[in-house]
């Protein structure tokens, strides 16, 4: 599945993360994924696994939104955290994100939950785990992806400044220790899932806060409306 990973990830990211591809954990991860693919359907499709990186080159990153792992339903996931392909019903977490978007900055609820336009403006929509077995949420956790995405977060924290890190829920917030909060702006709130969204996600205003910070840092704000 990932024999030639260098052909699937954007050049600037490959240069930043090149050491990771030869580490033991990544070799074990590739072996696991190749075996999984023989017996199960894996999401997202192979060409979309590194979509978050490919749509948001390293030097373009202004915002990071961390998710857990990809949606596990057919045709939902396309490699961007919380995003779905066009013409796909909004999963509950995404529906709540879009409700908060409407409340926060007045956007209309969009017809599509495809967040590609955010990624193209510098929003890295990064799942901590980049693949999943069909109909089996969390099935690829603790197989090695966490080391890879931790390296991603560390590189962004070290080599950039004034990135907004949006951490929704305990899983994402566990990554706060990887981020230099003297150089970056960290926004924390409960996860947007229905189980926790009413405990403080709604009304957290992540989109307007992000744009305010970017403008203060003389960066172009994100056009969040889809």
């Amino acid at each position: 599945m990932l024999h030639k990973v260098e052909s699937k990830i954007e050049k600037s990211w490959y240069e930043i993360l090149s050491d990771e591809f030869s580490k033991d954990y990544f070799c074990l991860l590739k072996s696991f994924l190749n075996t999984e693919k023989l017996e199960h359907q894996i999401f997202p499709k192979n060409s979309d696994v590194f979509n978050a990186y490919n749509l948001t080159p390293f030097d373009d990153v202004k915002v990071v939104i961390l998710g857990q792992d990809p949606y596990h339903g057919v045709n939902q996931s396309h490699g961007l955290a919380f995003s779905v392909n066009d013409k796909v019903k909004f999963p509950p977490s995404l529906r709540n994100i879009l409700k908060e978007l409407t409340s926060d900055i007045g956007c209309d609820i969009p017809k599509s939950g495809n967040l590609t336009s955010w990624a193209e403006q510098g929003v890295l929509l990064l799942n901590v785990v980049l693949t999943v077995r069909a109909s089996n949420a969390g099935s690829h956790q603790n197989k090695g992806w966490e080391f890879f995405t931790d390296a991603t977060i560390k590189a962004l924290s070290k080599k950039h400044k004034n990135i907004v890190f949006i951490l929704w829920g305990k899983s994402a917030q566990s990554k706060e220790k990887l981020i230099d909060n003297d150089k970056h702006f960290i926004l924390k709130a409960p996860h947007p899932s229905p189980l926790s969204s009413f405990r403080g996600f709604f009304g957290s205003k992540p989109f307007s806060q992000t744009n305010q910070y970017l403008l203060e840092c003389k960066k172009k704000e994100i056009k969040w409306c889809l």
Side-chain angles (χ1 to χ4, degrees):
M1 182 180 180
L2 295 175
H3 287 306
K4 296 182 178 179
V5 70
E6 65 273 14
S7 69
K8 302 182 186 302
I9 193 167
E10 190 269 338
K11 182 180 178 181
S12 66
W13 279 111
Y14 181 75
E15 291 173 353
I16 291 291
L17 297 170
S18 58
D19 289 347
E20 301 301 310
F21 301 125
S22 60
K23 291 183 177 178
D24 289 346
Y25 83 82
F26 204 87
C27 294
L28 292 171
L29 172 62
K30 287 195 293 184
S31 177
F32 165 75
L33 291 170
N34 288 327
T35 300
E36 274 279 282
K37 193 178 180 184
L38 295 176
E39 301 178 1
H40 304 283
Q41 188 173 15
I42 304 302
F43 298 132
K45 64 182 180 182
N46 195 26
S47 60
D48 287 346
V49 169
F50 292 109
N51 227 9
Y53 298 86
N54 296 339
L55 289 169
T56 315
F58 183 80
D59 289 339
D60 295 346
V61 177
K62 297 191 290 186
V63 182
V64 178
I65 298 179
L66 286 184
Q68 295 179 8
D69 60 351
Y71 297 124
H72 54 84
V74 174
N75 200 41
Q76 287 183 309
S77 173
H78 62 126
L80 302 179
F82 297 107
S83 180
V84 292
N85 281 302
D86 293 325
K87 299 181 180 179
V88 173
K89 182 180 178 181
F90 298 166
S93 291
L94 177 59
R95 186 165 59 245
N96 285 340
I97 289 169
L98 298 177
K99 285 181 180 178
E100 177 62 16
L101 178 65
T102 298
S103 172
D104 186 4
I105 57 176
C107 297
D108 293 332
I109 293 289
K111 294 181 179 180
S112 173
N114 189 325
L115 306 181
T116 295
S117 66
W118 293 3
E120 292 173 340
Q121 296 178 75
V123 182
L124 183 69
L125 296 163
L126 181 67
N127 281 314
V128 171
V129 175
L130 299 187
T131 56
V132 69
R133 185 188 298 178
S135 303
N136 194 343
S139 50
H140 288 185
Q141 292 178 1
N142 301 315
K143 301 299 183 183
W145 279 127
E146 291 90 346
F147 294 112
F148 187 78
T149 52
D150 278 3
T152 300
I153 296 166
K154 289 176 183 176
L156 287 167
S157 179
K158 181 178 179 180
K159 296 177 182 294
H160 273 285
K161 63 180 180 179
N162 304 133
I163 288 177
V164 181
F165 287 87
I166 298 176
L167 309 180
W168 289 328
K170 291 182 180 179
S171 176
Q173 289 164 20
S174 72
K175 304 300 180 180
E176 184 177 2
K177 62 183 180 292
L178 306 176
I179 304 164
D180 184 344
N181 60 13
D182 291 327
K183 294 171 59 182
H184 305 285
F185 184 40
I186 299 174
L187 285 173
K188 296 186 288 186
H191 194 275
S193 76
L195 296 176
S196 57
S197 57
F198 289 97
R199 299 174 188 164
F201 174 76
F202 289 128
S204 60
K205 299 186 179 298
F207 307 104
S208 59
Q209 287 195 74
T210 293
N211 277 353
Q212 181 179 346
Y213 178 79
L214 292 175
L215 289 173
E216 289 172 357
C217 296
K218 302 188 185 314
K219 293 185 177 184
K220 189 175 181 180
E221 62 185 353
I222 304 299
K223 296 179 180 178
W224 294 107
C225 296
L226 298 168

